[in-house]
Amino acid sequence: MSVRRFLSPGAVGVPHTAGFGALASDHSAAAPSTVPPAPIVKPMLPAWFVDHGNNAEMRWDSVSSRDYRTPNERFFVRDHTSTPLIDAKTWRLRAFGSGLRDAPDLEHAIEFDYRQLRALPSHEIEAFIECAGNGRRYFGGQQGTPTPGTPWGLGAIGLARWRGVQLSQVLRRAGIRDDAVDIMPQGLDAHYVCDGVDHGHVRRPLPVQKALDDVLLAYEMNGEPLPPDHGFPVRLVVPGWVGVASIKWVGQIEVSDRPLTSPWNTTWYRFTGPDYPGGSPLTTPTVRSAFELAWDARVPVGVVTTLTGRSWSGKAPIRRVDISTDGGRNWQPAHLHGPNRRDGWVRWELPWRPTTPGRHMLLARAIDEDGAEQPDTVPYNDGGYMFWAVVRHPVTVTS
Ligand SMILES: Nc1nc2c(c(=O)[nH]1)N[C@H]1C(S)=C(S)[C@@H](COP(=O)(O)O)O[C@H]1N2
Ligand SMILES: [Mo]
């Protein structure tokens, strides 16, 4: 595409709801980018995704127990506006701010192009990315207190092998100083406009301590160049932090000797509401579990069905998963298999031979090596973040 940005007539100046692409009038992005006609570029196969407009949820019944990693074409997508198409040849990463030697401003930023970045020593990690709003629909569905926001089931998570350059390498090359405290990566996608307010580009601060620890500037996902929807040419992967920290299409990083803020840590992605006076920004994903099974799946009576699923936690590996097939009265430990480490999920299975036809409630409860155990209910918060209670998964046993 040759157009710099594709703006559909009428798209400019219209107050947007959070659900639709906000194409603001700003053209200051470092790399020319185009906005394709649909918010998400890759094919949205109904068998793989629940379509939430500019967000796409992975269907757990499409997950194969054989695959530890999520294939790129099936990985969930969370776009605040829509996926931009960025030319790697003109793309630049610009580092600037008071936390760098000589405190360059944006006009005098230290620049890295795609080739330079790929020439630096590469590093690989395996990590899941999970949206803080994963499970949001169960605030309404299970606790009777719905919240606004994308009504994710449990499919706003995916796990990939990421290859790129350690952010610490780039920050050191850019001249990070000892007194730097925060960094702020910013995306090249369109401004996020919500209820008529323009909040600028998607960006969220990270403490320098985390930035220098295990954060990756990724250019590959499962052995392929990053797909457009997942941040091509380069994104952050911040293991052990909520998905919003992993800024896609990163174009600039401010490094500051003072704490930085953005609406993504002062307004959104924090716990607010009666149970959270003061609130606090969200960092670590909680412990959760999902069955690799359709909602309202049909299961034959008198036959052994192997129930399979996965559990994960942002803090630690999973110690144990218990399954109930009778709404929570009786519990049995599931068999855990395959990799089980922090930043990953663990697969589990349990054979089940239902003896009575009708509706049954399946429950999976995990506890991580840190001792965090999924509760029966969680306190309400206004943003509907971090629903980590045990999800009651209905199935129908057929005769
Ligand atoms: N630039 C930019 N980065 C972003 C977002 C975005 O809309 N724009 N969404 C964030 C959120 S909320 C999540 S959960 C993850 C989702 O990553 P994925 O779409 O690759 O699954 O990207 C994060 N990074
Ligand atoms: Mo998210």
Side-chain angles (χ1 to χ4, degrees):
M1 276 203 220
S2 57
V3 280
R4 207 158 168 245
R5 270 174 198 276
F6 179 85
L7 298 175
S8 61
V12 182
V14 175
H16 296 279
T17 61
F20 280 90
L23 301 171
S25 57
D26 175 90
H27 288 247
S28 66
S33 66
T34 54
V35 177
I40 295 175
V41 171
K42 66 184 175 185
M44 284 290 107
L45 270 62
W48 294 351
F49 293 108
V50 182
D51 189 346
H52 297 289
N54 52 324
N55 302 309
E57 176 174 355
M58 179 189 74
R59 293 182 65 117
W60 272 102
D61 54 317
S62 77
V63 174
S64 160
S65 322
R66 285 190 309 275
D67 299 328
Y68 179 66
R69 289 181 272 134
T70 312
N72 293 357
E73 62 275 16
R74 298 180 177 220
F75 207 98
F76 87 102
V77 181
R78 164 46 171 144
D79 283 358
H80 277 72
T81 59
S82 58
T83 294
L85 296 177
I86 295 172
D87 182 354
K89 286 198 280 300
T90 51
W91 175 86
R92 298 284 183 278
L93 176 63
R94 298 186 290 175
F96 69 100
S98 60
L100 297 181
R101 207 182 310 123
D102 301 332
D105 59 17
L106 189 54
E107 279 65 53
H108 303 91
I110 318 296
E111 291 200 352
F112 300 83
D113 66 23
Y114 190 62
R115 222 169 28 86
Q116 287 170 320
L117 213 64
R118 292 206 67 133
L120 293 176
S122 77
H123 185 77
E124 226 174 44
I125 59 171
E126 210 165 56
F128 68 76
I129 289 182
E130 184 185 31
C131 187
N134 202 16
R136 180 179 283 121
R137 80 160 54 239
Y138 307 113
F139 275 106
Q142 225 166 264
Q143 303 192 167
T145 52
T147 74
T150 304
W152 302 108
L154 286 171
I157 181 168
L159 184 144
R161 182 174 299 155
W162 311 93
R163 198 162 77 90
V165 182
Q166 287 170 306
L167 179 59
S168 58
Q169 289 259 352
V170 168
L171 292 177
R172 294 223 164 84
R173 267 160 222 268
I176 190 168
R177 291 157 34 134
D178 288 345
D179 60 354
V181 296
D182 271 356
I183 69 149
M184 178 103 78
Q186 176 170 301
L188 291 166
D189 43 339
H191 281 198
Y192 179 59
V193 180
C194 184
D195 299 330
V197 180
D198 184 342
H199 298 280
H201 291 290
V202 177
R203 62 199 187 284
R204 195 185 195 241
L206 259 184
V208 158
Q209 202 191 357
K210 178 68 178 173
L212 293 178
D213 179 15
D214 59 353
V215 177
L216 194 70
L217 279 167
Y219 46 69
E220 261 181 36
M221 179 176 184
N222 292 324
E224 292 164 20
L226 276 185
D229 296 311
H230 300 293
F232 184 86
V234 178
R235 80 174 301 166
L236 262 72
V237 177
V238 184
W241 278 51
V242 287
V244 68
S246 293
I247 294 294
K248 303 192 277 190
W249 314 293
V250 61
Q252 63 181 56
I253 298 180
E254 178 177 0
V255 184
S256 174
D257 63 3
R258 261 154 296 178
L260 297 171
T261 59
S262 90
W264 283 266
N265 78 328
T266 58
T267 304
W268 310 299
Y269 298 96
R270 50 192 298 146
F271 284 137
T272 59
D275 287 317
Y276 296 97
S280 57
L282 304 179
T283 56
T284 320
T286 44
V287 53
R288 297 193 239 219
S289 306
F291 288 92
E292 294 165 353
L293 202 58
W295 202 251
D296 283 323
R298 298 171 80 78
V299 178
V301 74
V303 178
V304 173
T305 295
T306 302
L307 298 173
T308 65
R310 301 178 192 218
S311 300
W312 60 93
S313 154
K315 278 221 180 80
I318 298 297
R319 178 186 301 168
R320 184 191 165 98
V321 180
D322 291 303
I323 308 291
S324 170
T325 56
D326 58 6
R329 276 185 298 280
N330 297 288
W331 295 85
Q332 267 177 282
H335 168 64
L336 275 50
H337 62 95
N340 182 7
R341 23 172 204 267
R342 210 202 75 177
D343 308 330
W345 47 26
V346 66
R347 286 167 288 176
W348 43 255
E349 57 181 44
L350 184 77
W352 178 42
R353 195 174 146 272
T355 51
T356 47
R359 203 170 152 86
H360 288 60
M361 250 346 146
L362 304 183
L363 284 70
R365 182 197 305 279
I367 176 166
D368 72 15
E369 290 289 359
D370 231 39
E373 184 173 14
Q374 291 185 259
D376 294 329
T377 59
V378 288
Y380 171 89
N381 70 86
D382 299 326
Y385 298 119
M386 306 283 217
F387 187 91
W388 65 300
V390 174
V391 169
R392 304 170 66 84
H393 190 130
V395 296
T396 300
V397 174
T398 56
S399 50

